[in-house]
């Protein structure tokens, strides 16, 4: 039986255009961090799809090839993750990278399949349709327990505050739609037959490209860089080696480190000290001695201590043991409030829907088997009410928006990025969380075990940060919530 490559792959020129677009888009993100390239990265693939008279199958294949090229080059570092050597199936990491790319590529494949169907390959109609369709596809990629919004196109601009201010109105999906709009306008200009139309489209694309930072810079003026008064907060970065962290013999050393860094930070008189995800390497509620050490520290120093730990509870009529990736605030007055991570990393912290279908938890890839926590209200702290986001949750706009809508003054993202190692992973995740501050016009406080820890203001500026693989802490004054942003009010509806 003859294997027909043409049935599964687009023609060579179209394949090359798709791969070029995918690689260009990946260069917008760390480690290259050439953000503005995203405004032209999609032009090659748009040129193929919008002028082609081939079957729609070819359009899907072209979009799929673009997606595979992008996700393979954007997520190549997955094979270098530190836990790879401890997995029950170590060689699974290269396979995981390929499977992730093959799965995620379906979404751009669908986009480039549907776009010419709706527009009949008319570039001018595509200008109207493409941005909204792209936003819908990215929103679809974020949903469900399989949701993985890593590499949404708007995140390419995270470190350019003047370019991301529109996110306070339209969110990350609207920001991505703006990037796609500029790409499709310039692609349509190339395809236009009439010179007047071509010039007009080039000018329109240039105007949108220029006006975005101009309007963004103006919007940023409403959020001064320096804060007088407000609340003083400290992010702790312990930089604990993952190989030592979970050893019982190292537990006392971990708590000694927590106490030492808290006392050093307390010299700057913060109202709130924040430690990273699973900073306490044990089930804290079932170890009263260690729990009291943190509680007494909060009382002694008269500061709130927010910290990550593990928790386990017997729940339901059958008293099933559920394990949670948790965090909690130790109030200096003696109070304690807990938050359990709600959106778990698929195949890393749990098998998707394993909490509902227990037989799925029998699948063993070396993953944890956490249960998703319940929805809770913002946590009251001495520095204001907190909207907690644990690790992966920081890249989901809806989670941060829910806390902002319910009255959170500050967004808090704690994470243990140590398992990323020295890859682009921690930088990519750090930059994605910046958008949560802009979308909701709230300060975002990020404490990471090995970095990058930072404090981001409501305009998306990094007020202070601590680089990767360093022990220490950062402190800054922050303000509570101001006027609710349009995105917070209306979300992605």
């Amino acid at each position: 039986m003859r294997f027909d490559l043409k049935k599964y792959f687009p023609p060579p020129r179209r394949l090359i255009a798709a791969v070029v677009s995918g690689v260009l888009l990946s260069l917008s993100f760390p480690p290259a961090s050439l953000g503005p390239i995203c405004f032209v990265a999609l032009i090659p693939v748009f040129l193929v799809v919008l002028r082609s008279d081939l079957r729609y199958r070819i359009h899907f294949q072209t979009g799929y090839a673009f997606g595979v090229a992008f996700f393979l080059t954007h997520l190549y570092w997955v094979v270098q993750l530190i836990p790879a050597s401890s997995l029950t199936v170590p060689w699974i990491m290269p396979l995981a990278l390929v499977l992730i790319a093959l799965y995620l590529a379906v979404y751009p494949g669908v986009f480039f399949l549907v776009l010419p169907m709706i527009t009949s390959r008319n570039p001018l109609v595509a200008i109207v349709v493409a941005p909204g369709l792209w936003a819908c596809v990215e929103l679809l990629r974020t949903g469900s327990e399989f949701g993985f919004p890593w590499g949404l196109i708007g995140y390419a601009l995270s470190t350019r505050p003047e370019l991301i201010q529109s996110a306070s109105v339209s969110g990350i999906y609207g920001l991505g739609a703006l990037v796609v709009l500029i790409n499709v306008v310039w692609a349509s200009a190339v395809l236009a037959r009439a010179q007047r139309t071509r010039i007009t489209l080039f000018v329109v694309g240039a105007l949108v490209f220029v006006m975005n930072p101009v309007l963004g810079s103006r919007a940023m003026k409403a959020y001064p860089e320096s804060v007088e008064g407000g609340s003083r907060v400290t992010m702790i970065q312990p930089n604990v080696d993952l190989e030592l962290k979970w050893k019982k013999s190292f537990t006392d050393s971990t708590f000694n480190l927590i106490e030492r860094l808290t006392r050093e930070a307390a010299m700057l008189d913060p109202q709130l000290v924040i430690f990273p995800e699973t900073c306490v390497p044990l089930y804290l509620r079932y170890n009263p001695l260690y729990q009291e050490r943190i509680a007494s520290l909060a009382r002694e120093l008269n500061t709130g201590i927010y910290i990550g730990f593990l928790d386990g509870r017997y729940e339901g009529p059958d008293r099933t043991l559920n394990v949670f990736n948790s965090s909690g605030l130790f109030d200096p007055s003696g109070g304690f409030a807990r938050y359990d991570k709600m959106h778990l990393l698929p195949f890393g912290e749990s098998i998707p829907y394993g909490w509902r279908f227990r037989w799925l938890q029998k699948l063993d890839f070396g993953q944890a088997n956490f249960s998703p926590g319940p929805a809770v209200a913002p946590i009251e702290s001495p520095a204001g009410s907190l909207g907690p986001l644990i690790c992966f949750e920081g890249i989901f706009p809806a989670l941060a928006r829910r806390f902002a809508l319910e009255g959170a003054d500050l967004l808090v993202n704690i994470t243990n990025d140590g398992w990323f190692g020295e890859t682009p992973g921690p930088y990519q995740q750090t930059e994605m969380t910046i958008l949560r501050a802009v979308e909701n016009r709230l300060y975002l406080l990020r404490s990471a075990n090995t970095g990058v820890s930072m404090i981001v203001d409501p305009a998306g500026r990094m007020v202070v940060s601590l680089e990767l693989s360093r022990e220490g802490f950062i402190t800054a004054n922050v303000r509570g919530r101001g006027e609710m942003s349009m995105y917070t009010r209306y979300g992605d509806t």
Side-chain angles (χ1 to χ4, degrees):
M1 183 176 179
R2 185 181 178 183
F3 183 76
D4 187 3
L5 285 176
K6 293 181 180 179
K7 185 177 180 181
Y8 300 97
F9 295 94
R13 290 183 180 179
R14 293 169 176 80
L15 179 61
I16 292 172
V19 171
V20 167
S21 279
V23 173
L24 282 176
L25 184 57
S26 71
L27 293 175
S28 302
F29 297 87
S33 299
L34 305 176
I37 284 183
C38 69
F39 289 113
V40 297
L42 301 184
I43 291 178
V45 70
F46 270 129
L47 291 178
V48 167
V49 173
L50 295 181
R51 70 180 173 188
S52 173
D53 57 356
L54 296 176
R55 296 176 181 177
Y56 289 119
R57 171 171 56 84
I58 301 298
H59 295 306
F60 174 80
Q61 292 171 351
T62 303
Y64 192 78
F66 156 77
V68 170
F70 169 64
F71 288 111
L72 282 179
T73 52
H74 182 53
L75 298 172
Y76 73 90
W77 48 267
V78 166
V79 300
Q80 303 171 10
L81 295 180
I82 287 177
S85 60
S86 62
L87 292 175
T88 54
V89 189
W91 50 263
I92 204 172
M93 297 311 294
L95 177 61
L97 171 61
V98 173
L99 292 177
I100 290 171
L102 293 178
Y103 162 64
L104 294 177
V106 170
Y107 293 94
V110 169
F111 171 82
F112 286 107
L113 169 67
V114 174
L115 181 64
M117 286 182 174
I118 297 176
T119 63
S120 299
R121 303 184 185 91
N122 185 325
L124 297 181
V125 179
I127 291 174
V128 177
V129 174
L133 180 61
W134 185 279
C136 290
V137 170
E138 286 198 328
L139 184 60
L140 183 64
R141 177 153 74 91
T142 305
S144 84
E145 290 189 22
F146 290 97
F148 192 73
W150 208 283
L152 298 183
I153 196 168
Y155 285 136
L157 305 174
S158 294
T159 58
R160 275 91 173 167
E162 71 281 1
L163 298 179
I164 61 176
Q165 297 307 303
S166 62
S168 68
V169 176
S170 60
I172 183 62
Y173 307 110
L175 181 61
L178 177 65
V179 174
V180 171
L181 173 65
I182 294 174
N183 274 274
V184 74
V185 167
W186 280 338
S188 299
V190 173
L191 296 174
R193 296 181 179 179
Q195 184 175 5
R196 180 176 297 179
T197 302
R198 186 179 301 117
I199 294 173
T200 300
L201 290 175
F202 270 123
V203 170
V204 169
L207 283 175
V208 176
F209 179 77
V210 170
M211 289 305 297
N212 182 44
V214 170
L215 295 176
S217 297
R218 182 177 298 178
M220 291 172 65
K221 293 180 181 179
Y223 305 94
E225 294 189 50
S226 59
V227 176
E228 295 182 5
S231 302
R232 182 171 287 269
V233 296
T234 293
M235 308 296 105
I236 303 288
Q237 185 166 296
N239 195 37
V240 176
D241 189 333
L242 290 186
E243 292 186 2
L244 299 174
K245 180 174 182 177
W246 298 102
K247 293 182 177 180
K248 290 185 178 180
S249 59
F250 196 69
T251 300
D252 279 332
S253 297
T254 298
F255 273 85
N256 291 338
L257 178 64
I258 290 171
E259 291 177 340
R260 175 174 64 79
L261 290 173
T262 304
R263 292 184 186 281
E264 290 176 5
M267 297 177 65
L268 298 176
D269 197 27
Q271 289 147 291
L272 178 65
V273 175
I274 299 176
F275 282 89
E277 174 191 23
T278 60
C279 184
V280 176
L282 47 76
Y283 291 87
L284 188 60
R285 291 197 308 122
Y286 299 98
N287 287 271
L289 176 64
Y290 290 115
Q291 184 174 348
E292 178 56 27
R293 285 179 68 173
I294 299 177
S296 63
L297 191 65
R299 292 192 299 269
E300 176 191 345
L301 301 177
N302 193 33
T303 184
I305 299 177
Y306 182 75
I307 194 166
F309 54 87
L310 297 179
D311 196 18
R313 301 191 293 275
Y314 289 95
E315 298 180 326
D318 56 352
R319 303 298 293 166
T320 301
L321 174 62
N322 291 323
V323 179
F324 300 91
N325 184 349
S326 300
S327 62
L329 175 74
F330 290 84
D331 192 274
S333 63
F336 175 76
R338 187 183 67 246
Y339 169 73
D340 304 318
K341 188 175 183 179
M342 294 189 294
H343 196 115
L344 302 172
L345 177 66
F347 303 103
E349 293 179 313
S350 70
I351 297 295
Y353 301 103
W355 60 275
R356 179 174 295 178
F357 305 104
R358 292 286 174 177
W359 61 270
L360 287 175
Q361 295 185 7
K362 296 179 181 179
L363 299 175
D364 184 11
F365 299 110
Q367 82 284 345
N369 281 313
F370 290 125
S371 296
V376 299
I379 296 175
E380 295 300 325
S381 82
S385 57
L386 311 178
L389 304 164
I390 297 180
C391 192
F392 186 57
E393 292 181 318
I395 69 175
F396 288 87
L399 296 178
R401 175 181 173 262
R402 185 183 72 80
F403 283 116
L405 199 60
E406 294 183 3
D409 294 304
L410 306 165
L411 297 174
V412 176
N413 178 222
I414 61 173
T415 184
N416 177 21
D417 282 353
W419 56 280
F420 281 124
E422 297 289 337
T423 70
Y427 297 103
Q428 291 178 3
Q429 181 161 257
T430 297
E431 292 182 7
M432 287 188 281
T433 60
I434 292 173
L435 264 295
R436 306 293 84 81
V438 179
E439 287 167 343
N440 301 285
R441 294 304 190 193
L442 296 176
Y443 273 86
L444 180 130
L445 317 176
R446 189 172 197 266
S447 172
N449 175 33
T450 57
V452 176
S453 298
M454 64 180 178
I455 297 175
V456 181
D457 75 4
R461 291 176 294 234
M462 201 178 293
V463 178
V464 61
S465 65
L466 192 57
E467 64 188 41
L468 200 64
S469 302
R470 281 188 57 189
E471 177 193 304
F473 58 87
I474 51 177
T475 300
N477 284 9
V478 299
R479 292 189 302 270
R481 67 182 300 114
E483 184 178 350
M484 189 178 293
S485 73
M486 188 175 295
Y487 176 77
T488 301
R489 284 185 190 279
Y490 302 107
D492 300 306
T493 56

